[in-house]
């Protein structure tokens, strides 16, 4: 039964990836023109293009280089084959740079800051939310509800601007933005790591403070429904310790929908971090997507979009594999 469950999830993962790649190919081509024409129009608007036969020859050469002169079905199968090999092509704006190379260069910054911040928010918010609903929790835990409701309603980029004003402009304790100090050579030594941590405090704090309330309120709502279940009544009748009942029976079962939300949150952490990385000038995938949209770099946008879909699919696949460990009934 377990083997059949895992095979079904793997097949579903593969289908999702193929469909995502197909939509990623179709949607940009629904717009009029093509990527080369968009870049050419932008150059003309800036006065950097003079027109003429030479320009037409350059455009034709670029169209041939990027395969845009081929029939649409050939473009699709070539795109699908290359995408499944994670060969996302060349960036138009930064040719001959490869899209996957830019992604891999930006990925550590996004994972190091945003994924860790999301996991911290999930852990803290889920614990506080469960404690707020637990009838034998300390009384002061319920006083966090108004604070969490306010924090969950504040956009993280707005809170980021407030934190920048307080800690960077007024108190001058932390840097305004960036991943590390200007002029610093990235090296794996203690000084550089401390500099990276110092620059990451404000963006991480903006994400954690606004996300803890979301996780806490969600966990509190699920925990309230779990408290009336028969297995909790049976555990209490057996005289089990309150700590074991809380963690092993109540919180464990309430975590199932939270874990699903965590998988989606981790998968969309890059796309949801665009404004945070723009506010703090942080060189992650969100910043890469922002610059690609500004410069009409369709291939870079396609590559980042497919990567975001892939991260969501992988996250959901991992959660599907973990679910039977949390609740053995799921694999049936």
């Amino acid at each position: 039964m377990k083997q059949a469950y895992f095979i079904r999830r793997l097949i579903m993962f593969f289908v999702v990836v193929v469909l995502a790649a197909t939509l990623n190919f179709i949607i940009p081509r629904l717009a009029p023109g093509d990527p080369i024409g968009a870049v050419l129009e932008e150059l003309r608007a800036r006065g950097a293009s003079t027109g003429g036969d030479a320009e037409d020859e350059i455009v034709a050469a670029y169209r041939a280089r990027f395969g845009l002169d081929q029939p649409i079905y050939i473009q699709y199968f070539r795109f699908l084959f290359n995408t499944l090999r994670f060969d996302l092509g060349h960036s138009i704006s930064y040719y001959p740079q490869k899209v996957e190379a830019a992604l891999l260069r930006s990925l550590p910054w996004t994972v190091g800051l945003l994924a860790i911040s999301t996991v911290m928010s999930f852990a803290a918010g889920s614990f506080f939310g469960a404690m707020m609903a637990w009838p034998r929790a300390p009384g002061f835990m319920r006083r966090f509800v108004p604070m969490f409701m306010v924090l969950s309603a504040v956009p993280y980029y707005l809170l980021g601007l407030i934190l920048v004003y307080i800690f960077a402009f007024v108190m001058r304790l932390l840097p305004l933005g960036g991943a590390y100090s200007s002029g610093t050579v990235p090296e794996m030594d203690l000084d550089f790591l401390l500099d990276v941590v110092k620059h990451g405090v404000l963006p991480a704090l903006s994400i954690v403070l606004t996300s803890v309330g979301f996780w806490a309120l969600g966990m509190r709502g699920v925990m309230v429904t779990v408290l009336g279940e028969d297995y909790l009544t049976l555990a209490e009748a057996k005289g089990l310790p309150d700590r074991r009942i809380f963690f092993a029976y109540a919180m464990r079962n309430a975590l199932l929908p939270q874990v699903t939300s965590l998988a989606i949150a981790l998968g969309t952490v890059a796309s949801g971090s665009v404004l945070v990385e723009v506010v703090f000038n942080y060189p992650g995938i969100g910043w890469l997507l922002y610059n690609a949209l500004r410069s009409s770099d369709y291939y870079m946008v396609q590559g980042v979009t497919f990567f975001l879909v892939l991260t969501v699919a992988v996250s959901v696949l991992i959660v599907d594999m973990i679910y039977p460990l949390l609740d053995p009934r799921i694999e049936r």
Side-chain angles (χ1 to χ4, degrees):
M1 184 64 69
K2 289 184 178 180
Q3 185 176 3
Y5 173 84
F6 292 147
I7 291 175
R8 288 198 306 270
R9 292 301 180 271
L10 288 174
I11 293 175
M12 187 180 301
F13 168 78
F14 181 75
V15 171
V16 168
V17 170
V18 172
L19 289 177
T22 302
L23 291 176
N24 204 18
F25 173 83
I26 294 174
I27 292 176
R29 285 161 175 78
L30 295 178
D34 56 62
I36 306 301
V39 174
L40 180 61
E41 290 298 327
E42 183 177 354
L43 292 176
R44 286 173 176 168
R46 296 177 181 177
S49 178
T50 59
D53 295 337
E55 181 181 276
D56 294 336
E57 293 177 1
I58 294 174
V59 171
Y62 266 87
R63 286 177 56 84
R65 177 65 185 85
F66 287 97
L68 298 175
D69 58 339
Q70 299 291 331
I72 191 68
Y73 67 91
I74 294 180
Q75 293 185 41
Y76 168 71
F77 285 112
R78 180 180 295 176
F79 173 82
L80 185 62
F81 176 74
N82 291 334
T83 300
L84 294 180
R85 294 189 302 124
F86 205 68
D87 181 5
L88 303 177
H90 295 83
S91 168
I92 296 177
S93 300
Y94 304 101
Y95 184 82
Q97 184 184 44
K98 298 281 286 186
V99 172
E100 59 268 23
L103 281 171
L104 293 176
R105 187 174 61 251
S106 302
L107 181 62
W109 297 107
T110 296
V111 172
L113 171 68
L114 301 163
I116 293 176
S117 301
T118 301
V119 172
M120 290 174 58
S121 304
F122 167 79
S126 297
F127 176 76
F128 280 115
M131 291 296 291
M132 286 189 297
W134 187 243
R136 290 181 290 279
F140 70 89
M141 285 290 181
R142 295 176 179 83
R143 299 176 184 174
F144 285 105
V145 176
M147 180 184 67
F148 285 146
M149 292 181 66
V150 171
L151 288 176
S152 63
V154 178
Y156 48 80
Y157 53 87
L158 179 59
L159 183 60
L161 292 173
I162 297 174
L163 293 175
V164 166
Y165 176 76
I166 295 174
F167 291 100
F169 278 102
V170 178
M171 303 179 67
R172 298 184 181 275
L173 296 176
L174 295 170
L176 290 172
Y180 48 86
S181 299
S182 178
T184 303
V185 178
E187 295 178 350
M188 292 303 296
D189 56 16
L190 182 60
D191 293 337
F192 178 72
L193 292 178
L194 291 177
D195 190 38
V196 170
V197 170
K198 185 178 180 181
H199 281 75
V201 168
L202 287 182
L205 193 60
S206 67
I207 296 172
V208 170
L209 289 178
T210 55
S211 301
V212 166
F214 166 79
W215 294 113
L217 294 176
M219 185 66 175
R220 179 175 176 268
V222 178
M223 192 74 170
V224 169
T225 62
V226 170
L227 291 178
E229 297 293 336
D230 294 336
Y231 54 80
L232 279 183
T233 304
L234 179 61
E236 293 174 355
K238 287 183 176 180
L240 297 178
D242 287 343
R243 177 174 296 183
R244 183 179 177 185
I245 296 175
F246 175 75
F247 286 105
Y249 290 84
M251 191 171 180
R252 178 180 177 180
N253 287 279
L255 273 176
L256 290 176
Q258 291 285 96
V259 172
T260 304
S261 299
L262 175 64
I264 298 174
L266 289 175
T268 59
V269 68
S271 59
S273 69
V274 173
L275 292 178
V276 170
E277 294 185 357
V278 169
V279 168
F280 291 98
N281 195 24
Y282 206 80
I285 293 179
W287 177 254
L288 186 67
L289 178 60
Y290 171 72
N291 286 329
L293 291 171
R294 289 183 58 193
S295 58
S296 300
D297 192 344
Y298 289 4
Y299 285 91
M300 184 69 76
V301 173
Q302 279 185 315
V304 174
T305 304
F306 176 76
F307 177 78
L308 297 180
V309 174
L310 184 64
T311 55
V312 174
V314 170
S315 300
V316 173
L317 177 64
I318 293 174
V319 170
D320 283 340
M321 298 303 182
I322 294 176
Y323 259 177
L325 301 177
L326 298 175
D327 189 349
R329 296 172 297 176
I330 292 178
E331 67 184 34
R332 296 175 183 176

